[in-house]
Amino acid sequence: MQKRVAEFWYGIEACDHNIVRLRETWIDPYLAGNIWLVRGSERDLVVDAGTGFVSPRVVIDAISNKPVLAVACACYYDHAGGLHYFAERGCHRLDADQIAHPTDETSVVSTYVDETMLTALPYEGFEAANYRMQGAPPTVCFDDGDIIDLGDRRLEVLHVPGVTVGSMALWEAATGSLFTCDTLYDDPVVERDFAVSDPITFADSLNRLRRLPVNTVFAGHYQSFGQVRMLELIDRILRAKAG
C-alpha cells in the first residue's frame, strides 16, 4: 500500500537547560537520530543533523534567531545526512573525509535505508532506494578537548572512537549534559546488537564517559536518561561485547 506524505516531518520537544529536540517522527527511531538544538546567548549549536530527507533548517530557523553551528558527532547518514544544509558545520577531523565524501557503505545507507524504515513519505515521489547522503565538507574540524563556545555556555569535545573513528560526545559540565550520538543510547530492543569499528577502543570510550558526573544524557536515538541508567547501559554493553 502506498504510504501517505507526512504533513509535518519533524516533532519538536522542549527539554531542560534550554535544549530542544527535533525528531523525524515518520522514521523508525533506531534508523533516524535525534537532532539537538542547544541555545546559547551568542550562537546556537545543532548537535547532529538527521538524515536530510527533509531539511531541518526550516524548523531551526523558526526557533533560532542567532548564528548556528551544526556538528555531526558521527559520519553516518542518520546524524550527518542533514549537515549540508548548514553553512557553518563541523565534525571530528577523523570523520571529516567520510562526511565530505560519503559512500553508501561509509554512511551505512546500504545497510539501513529502505522503504520499511518509513511510516510516511517526506514528500511526494520520495524513494528510499534513490537516497544518497550528500557530502558536506566541514568548515571546522574538532579534536579532543576543544571547546565550543556559545557565549553563556561551553561544551567540551570528547573524542570517543569505537563506533566510527571520529565519534564525538559533547560535554557541558555546567549542566551535567552529555550528548552521546551513537556511542550510547537506550535501545528498547535489548537483544539488538550493533556494529562497532573497534570493540577495545569502544570499551575505553564508554569507560571514559562513565566517569563523568552526568545529570542527563541527550542520546543519539530514543529518549534522554540520567546517570543511573547511563551506568546500567554501559555495564550491559560492555558485558555483551566481552561475551
Side-chain angles (χ1 to χ4, degrees):
M1 185 175 68
Q2 177 66 35
K3 295 183 175 74
R4 68 186 181 90
V5 174
E7 184 175 0
F8 299 104
W9 188 249
Y10 289 101
I12 306 171
E13 176 188 358
C15 305
D16 292 340
H17 309 303
N18 214 8
I19 296 167
V20 178
R21 181 174 78 141
L22 276 64
R23 185 170 61 90
E24 298 182 76
T25 55
W26 304 101
I27 304 178
D28 181 330
Y30 181 65
L31 301 174
N34 291 321
I35 301 171
W36 301 103
L37 176 65
V38 184
R39 309 185 71 180
S41 61
E42 295 182 9
R43 65 173 175 171
D44 291 343
L45 174 67
V46 174
V47 182
D48 293 328
T51 66
F53 289 2
V54 173
S55 172
R57 284 301 303 265
V58 176
V59 180
I60 297 295
D61 289 348
I63 299 172
S64 174
N65 59 359
K66 305 181 189 71
V68 173
L69 167 66
V71 302
C73 293
C75 62
Y76 294 159
Y77 79 94
D78 50 336
H79 303 289
L83 202 63
H84 67 279
Y85 290 110
F86 297 88
E88 189 177 2
R89 53 187 184 248
C91 63
H92 192 277
R93 69 178 59 254
L94 294 180
D95 270 359
D97 185 63
Q98 288 88 343
I99 289 175
H101 308 287
T103 68
D104 284 358
E105 289 71 35
T106 61
S107 64
V108 299
V109 166
S110 58
T111 303
Y112 293 112
V113 176
D114 62 35
E115 298 295 336
T116 64
M117 70 190 295
L118 299 166
T119 54
L121 300 178
Y123 53 84
E124 192 69 46
F126 177 86
E127 294 184 11
N130 295 330
Y131 170 77
R132 300 292 181 272
M133 178 174 143
Q134 186 166 323
T139 60
V140 57
C141 289
F142 297 106
D143 290 305
D144 187 68
D146 285 348
I147 300 297
I148 299 175
D149 190 345
L150 304 183
D152 60 341
R153 56 197 310 179
R154 293 159 58 86
L155 292 89
E156 180 183 357
V157 173
L158 306 180
H159 183 210
V160 286
V163 176
T164 69
V165 294
S167 288
M168 300 191 310
L170 300 180
W171 168 238
E172 187 177 40
T175 62
S177 299
L178 180 65
F179 298 85
T180 56
C181 192
D182 275 348
T183 300
L184 188 66
Y185 53 86
D186 193 355
D187 189 343
V189 183
V190 294
E191 70 274 12
R192 178 159 50 199
D193 193 15
F194 62 97
V196 297
S197 60
D198 184 339
I200 295 175
T201 301
F202 182 57
D204 290 341
S205 294
L206 289 178
N207 282 318
R208 181 184 187 187
L209 296 183
R210 77 179 305 144
R211 293 191 291 268
L212 296 173
V214 169
N215 288 323
T216 306
V217 174
F218 296 95
H221 296 269
Y222 305 109
Q223 299 297 321
S224 303
F225 48 91
Q227 186 180 45
V228 171
R229 183 58 176 162
M230 178 187 80
L231 297 176
E232 291 174 348
L233 290 170
I234 290 174
D235 288 343
R236 187 181 81 191
I237 294 168
L238 292 177
R239 285 195 302 269
K241 295 300 179 185

